Amino acid sequence: MLIFEQSQADRFNKAQQPGEAIALSDIPSEFRRQQRVALPGVSELQSVRHYTRLSQKNFSIDTHFYPLGSCTMKYNPRACNTLAMHSNFLGQHPLTPASNGQGFLQCIYELQEILKEATGMRSVSMQPMAGAQGEFAGVAMIRAYHDARGDTARSEILCPDAAHGTNPATATMCGYKVREIPTGDDGDVDLEALRAVVGPQTAGIMLTNPSTLGVFDRNIKEIADLVHQAGGLLYYDGANLNAILGKVKPGDMGFDVIHINLHKTFSTPHGGGGPGSGPVGVSERLLPFIPVPMAAKTDDEYHWLTEKECPQSIGRLSANMGNSGIMLRAYIYARMLGREGLERVADYATLNANYLMVKLMEAGFEVALPGRRATHEFIVTLKKLTRETGVTAMDVAKRLLDYGYHAPTTYFPLIVPECLLIEPTETESKEEIDGFIAALCAVKQEAYDDPEKVKSAPHTLPVKRLDDVRAARELDLRWTGEESLIKSG
Amino acid sequence: MLIFEQSQADRFNKAQQPGEAIALSDIPSEFRRQQRVALPGVSELQSVRHYTRLSQKNFSIDTHFYPLGSCTMKYNPRACNTLAMHSNFLGQHPLTPASNGQGFLQCIYELQEILKEATGMRSVSMQPMAGAQGEFAGVAMIRAYHDARGDTARSEILCPDAAHGTNPATATMCGYKVREIPTGDDGDVDLEALRAVVGPQTAGIMLTNPSTLGVFDRNIKEIADLVHQAGGLLYYDGANLNAILGKVKPGDMGFDVIHINLHKTFSTPHGGGGPGSGPVGVSERLLPFIPVPMAAKTDDEYHWLTEKECPQSIGRLSANMGNSGIMLRAYIYARMLGREGLERVADYATLNANYLMVKLMEAGFEVALPGRRATHEFIVTLKKLTRETGVTAMDVAKRLLDYGYHAPTTYFPLIVPECLLIEPTETESKEEIDGFIAALCAVKQEAYDDPEKVKSAPHTLPVKRLDDVRAARELDLRWTGEESLIKSG
Amino acid sequence: MPFIPHTEHDTQQMLDAIGAKNIEQLFDEIPEALRSRGLDNIPPGLNELEVTRLIKQRAARDQPLICFAGAGAYEHHIPAAVWELTTRGEFYTAYTPYQAEASQGTLQLLYEYQTMMSSLMGMDLSNASLYDGASALAEAVLMAIRANRKSKSRRVLIPTTVHPDYRRVVKNIVNNQGIELVELDYCTECGQVMVDSLAQYEQSDYAALVIPQPNFFGNLEQVDQLTDWAHDHKMLVIGVVNPMAMAVIAPPGEWGEQGADIACGEGQPLGIPLSWGGPFYGFIACKQKQVRQMPGRIIGRTVDRDGNRGFVLTLQAREQHIRRSKATSNICTNQGLMVTASTIYMSLMGAEGVERTAMHSHTNTKALLEQLTAIEGVKRRFSAAYFHEVVIQLNQPAAPVLEKLAKAGYLGGFSLATDYAELGDALVVCVTETKSDEEINQFAHAFAQALR
Amino acid sequence: MPFIPHTEHDTQQMLDAIGAKNIEQLFDEIPEALRSRGLDNIPPGLNELEVTRLIKQRAARDQPLICFAGAGAYEHHIPAAVWELTTRGEFYTAYTPYQAEASQGTLQLLYEYQTMMSSLMGMDLSNASLYDGASALAEAVLMAIRANRKSKSRRVLIPTTVHPDYRRVVKNIVNNQGIELVELDYCTECGQVMVDSLAQYEQSDYAALVIPQPNFFGNLEQVDQLTDWAHDHKMLVIGVVNPMAMAVIAPPGEWGEQGADIACGEGQPLGIPLSWGGPFYGFIACKQKQVRQMPGRIIGRTVDRDGNRGFVLTLQAREQHIRRSKATSNICTNQGLMVTASTIYMSLMGAEGVERTAMHSHTNTKALLEQLTAIEGVKRRFSAAYFHEVVIQLNQPAAPVLEKLAKAGYLGGFSLATDYAELGDALVVCVTETKSDEEINQFAHAFAQALR
Ligand SMILES: Cc1ncc(COP(=O)(O)O)c(C=O)c1O
Ligand SMILES: Cc1ncc(COP(=O)(O)O)c(C=O)c1O
């Protein structure tokens, strides 16, 4: 039932009604709202019960193994949430003077330092509110850099064909043309193809390394040199930083700019789709352009750097400091793990992925890049299964839900047919992974024995397989039921 | 899976390990533990996931209509919990001097005053930790009263046969013999029978009014007079206070002592079986005996009254102040409702119960006391259904679970065969009650059409019908599985 | 190893299965020359007890000031249930609902949100969130440029009564695509855009007009006239509004003859704590015919195999993961959890609750204004009607006054000296329903002191 | 009407169905003479915003002192996950699991608790909680009297090294049944019960001997000798212990030749906040053969119709709702939510975690003792081994010292002057793992100041 279907026009929750109704006599009626807003009229119990029950219909890290590739669904320590929600943090208006927020500013400043160390970059700004906005900031800085040099002919951004969709979309948002680079059979960027397209029109390249194929591009140095020699800059999509923490640093690989997804590597919650946080780190040459506000420190006093102190900055991308509360969570997480803990993240994320990959190969699954090490994730392709049984990667994904496992990422990267991108993360136990392997094997067996069962999955969830096509064809994007339930009068 | 079955002997959650291991060199080995304690070795994620998923297997007020008679399963406002868990309250050691707890003491003091007004008693002590301990305090005060007068021959406590089990059990714990009084056909205490047993051996009577049969005993004044004339005292079991808040006060009915269940009428959480809080209120003559500590006020300063100030007190029943945190929740609740809100509680609890009763009668259900008003609850007897279909009250209860409703209280009071004691509470909406009525009707229909389906219910819960008999016969009260999972070495 | 569950035995077994000697070997594809020197500049780990002590010490230094500032972020009461429910693990630790059948909780909630938000805006539909109010306005501008078939212009009119930081953010975002923002002046007497000053723009082609309501000064713009003027000149109209105010003030959908085309703004007032400015969330709503230009996630209702109702991500063909360089936006992760809180907030408040909150806030602001203007040296700055936020003029520079107020424990408003130098010593102040009469009196008193 | 969902229309419809004119009529069975005058002395209602303001003001007055006291309640770190999970609505708002199939969450958790607690105590089984440590001891005494078939005595030996308030509570409860508590003295030099002082009791019949571990002074009793002595004289042995200490100190099940018969105590150290003394919870564990004498709820494992594992309330025939006046206790509602927290706590800590917590606390107490006894006028009082709590002797009355410490922000311990006048100016202090070295140093410094 929708909350609106439990509503009654003149029911209201008195505990949440401030004061008596007050006339707005000073506001001319032309400015007044005509139609009352259609919010539900429910009791507090109805609301609490409704959303509690709704929540139970979700799979989540706290309830299920969630090996969604490229998303790093690791444990979100509860302490990070509890501490970040300290009332002294939550109660701060963004206009609060820095002198009244030294505790908070110190956390943000130290987080910037931690991220510098983790990435090997010269400076880090916390401003972007998610990975894609981090990408935006990065590419905007690339543009600002070229512009500042009067180098205005550079109109293209290069992206591997396996890149995350936000990469080309970001390049477009920054006014660039996107040129795709194919991936070689070994999973690394096709160097020849790259050579063919890099040139004076190249503003930069956006790379993910480990790539979205779950392998570390071994030619990264060559790529960097090629692009740099052509006058382009290197953008590092840091979504996969979890795999290399403490092992190799984007700065050392020659990257000029990077974004980090705190909601992945630094374990802030994914929240059913955000909020995230996508700090950007820059090399020396992009330093002048880094977005503000940033936390800075002078003689033990913390303060904000703004447009005033950073006149060449690409400026702010948020009305305030970005997703502050998420930064706090990431900071707390980083402090709990500390240097040793953060280094071990990559170790165990990689161990889990390689173990899972090897075990699946033993069980007869085909991986996309069998000759390669997995990083923190890897790709299984089910094209043989699909050919032989008609059961697709989507069907397998849905059937896994019945076994109590969230599905891996499906159909990404787009270049691998019928693929599952699997990322177990370091916080899952061997037992959990073994259980997942057993489930995948069972589903495969079912695909041969009883393909209909798999194709019609899921069978045990709150709803059966949903009709996406109908959703897009017969658009229904808001409830328009009996208005009488929510309108007064 | 049990948490132990997810354990590994040498897995541990480093985030929760204080400091390095420290040798206990100063503690002679004879005092040291030999066998390591068998706690599970799980990761923090395993634990969080396990208990999150376990919680989802519960019905609760926050997820289901829960008309458990005699238990007043009303909405527990979230604000009460959030505010009561303020770190300044949670952080207070019970030895903290009163001067450092004026805010807390003021709340407790004012709660005592609120409860005095709600019950019409002379004074209220918050000491008892649940209803049954409140009963204990009350009966112990009755004993202390008679003892103080040298009236030591009174050896009996009277209890109606419909009384809650804690009443006779309490009388026994206080060293009294229990004498049962039968209930008349009209649901009121059988006055003749009472007259026959009341006498010089009578220490007191324990009554619930509204009674556990869900009716208001109309002869309460006569009962009070009878017992008082015989020198006995009157104990009021306040579990059903919800039904009479602001309508009639136990003090006015002539009671000498009362306990209140804050976890019922004052909406503190039931917590899967507590903690509750069972304050006792007393009339003038029991005042000297009231349990300590109690909050008191002198010139705007709040302080504790203890054994020192109250030498005749029956003393304390808890090492500390009782269930302080629960009192805070009740206080906040009472302040939110205020005088009008509290008065309306009885109105709507009674309205809901009577509506539900009338509707069920219309639908062909037999109620135990058809001539009477329901109070906040009432009894349906399914004896006809059982006779005609073999489906028992227990079966119906279990089948209701499949319909998404927690079952009413079954088989209590013991004197009504195949009974359901139904208490909807004031916080449930008409729609919810109508849904419950529809479900009960559907189950009744099923009992005739397909009795096996009802007898084998539930069908949709995490487990099927559980075998109670086997549980008691083949006692298994702790996990004794593979010890290797939890023992080191 | 916090949060890593592996025992030594597990690790060994897993390495054996892989056929690796040790974990290090798993990184053997990384060129040796690139291998890092570790993370030495990161401090060693703390257990939860230690980190709790640390963060509480930090927090203890940051006692919030008593807030009489708005300027884009508003302190409203948030029912306790909101965040207790929002932080339930099932909401908190799920991700974008790609697997719809395993995400009906989030999906249904977002569908409810879309319904509530589009009603609040008086628009046909809403998406499922953007980052924040400022970036939502940037997306709205990009959307308007794509959507306005009648105009080929890449110029947009934006009054300077729009939040200065919103204007900065919009510029920082859209200038990369060569879009030009043309700023409209306001009347310094009444504090709103004057419709009759717009004639000068009628000759050129603009894709859209942005209208703030209330504007940054708290003043109400003449939205009906502005909307009709823009539509008459083939511009789309973008409303950027405070959603709480929309409970009682005419929402974009009711503006002028046809209503605005796009509504956007900052969702924070609806159940989101101030929290140093984030995480908040941006909302965006539009007319049916613009749906395919909408950025971000959209949830649609559909049916399952049994014909039962269910919810899915829909119109994904607009989005980056399908459309890539041709997507309506690059947004991926948005502010889902914030919208979760807002939806629960709106359900707990109901129409009555948000109306009363808005009215109570306004009444409090009126009361404060009355008290402040009774102080010598304080005047109301503008003549236009305002809503729950208002500009006052001081007889001395605002910054030192704010500093004194901060010492007295107050966040006394936002000085307009930098962004609106033409106004002289002016301050925008705001009161919400969270302030009692006593607190308002005390603040006015402190204000008088600070002016001495 | 907070929390009452009825619209006027609902109310009318319901009254119509009932056939009543108004709600008042539903109360027509209450004799007119008894009808009340209302609740005028209760203040009018507050909305959540107002009550939040009120309670925060109250709380703000009560900044907790930095705690160096134990004496029955111990400040340990509680992982954030504990209460976030415990207050989930499904745990928080359920009741006693009478409908087992709809309560497997609570039931399985309690079964896990019983397993953990019985292991911690080294006993065969545990119930699912009692009210608190003191009342648990009272129940243990009643249980021992019922269980001891070899003794007809209604007398129990209890050392004065048991917490004074526990002794009061036990007396207040058991004296109603004519049970007599006979107090055993301790050695004022070593601070423990001397086994060779017990000969005087060997002639009479006692049902049980209570043994505290650590005792109220923090000292370790000679539990092996005491247990064997009691068993030799046909008494049952009741251990009343700090469960956190039992992670490293021999638990009742390991005492003497056969182990204690009943173990009980206060569960608070395991994940329960100090919270002004409640809610805490009492635990009780026993040997298999005493199971039918156990008070309170007990959860058992069983199977469902399909043979799958499940959990139910069992042995209900002992309880008041079945057995009524013959029940093993009157307890009904117990402290379920507290046990929920403790179970989650123990699972998060593991054996290693509780061991280290206990050891770290002890190490901190040792460090403090060293620093305090370096102050002139402070001596250690007793010679026995102690565990994480210790008695010091002052050269001046303790109460004023504690007052000075309170002014300096410290809860400096518990003065023994009232309950143990024979000890003179003595104080029991305690340090847990929550205190850093720096805090310990600062406290010692403040202590020295207070003694001046
Ligand atoms: C490889 C990669 N790049 C970029 C992103 C975009 O990050 P966000 O969703 O935070 O905008 C993601 C995640 O969604 C990703 O996996
Ligand atoms: C009528 C009645 N009396 C007494 C009690 C005992 O209260 P408690 O469970 O809090 O001990 C209850 C509730 O369980 C009850 O319903």
Side-chain angles (χ1 to χ4, degrees), chain D residues 281-295:
Chain D
Y281 73 92
F283 63 85
I284 188 165
C286 70
K287 296 279 180 64
Q288 187 68 43
K289 73 169 180 240
Q290 256 91 53
V291 60
R292 274 159 222 280
Q293 295 304 335
M294 185 69 108

Side-chain angles (χ1 to χ4, degrees), chain B residues 453-464:
Chain B
K453 185 160 194 182
V454 184
K455 287 191 213 172
S456 56
H459 302 286
T460 59
L461 273 80
V463 289
K464 297 279 172 71

Side-chain angles (χ1 to χ4, degrees), chain B residues 261-273:
Chain B
N261 280 349
L262 295 188
H263 45 304
K264 296 180 179 174
T265 310
F266 288 84
S267 192
T268 67
H270 285 78

Side-chain angles (χ1 to χ4, degrees), chain D residues 27 29-30 78 82 132 279 284 316:
Chain D
F27 295 91
E29 292 190 2
I30 302 183
I78 304 173
V82 172
D132 77 344
I284 188 165
Q316 297 189 61

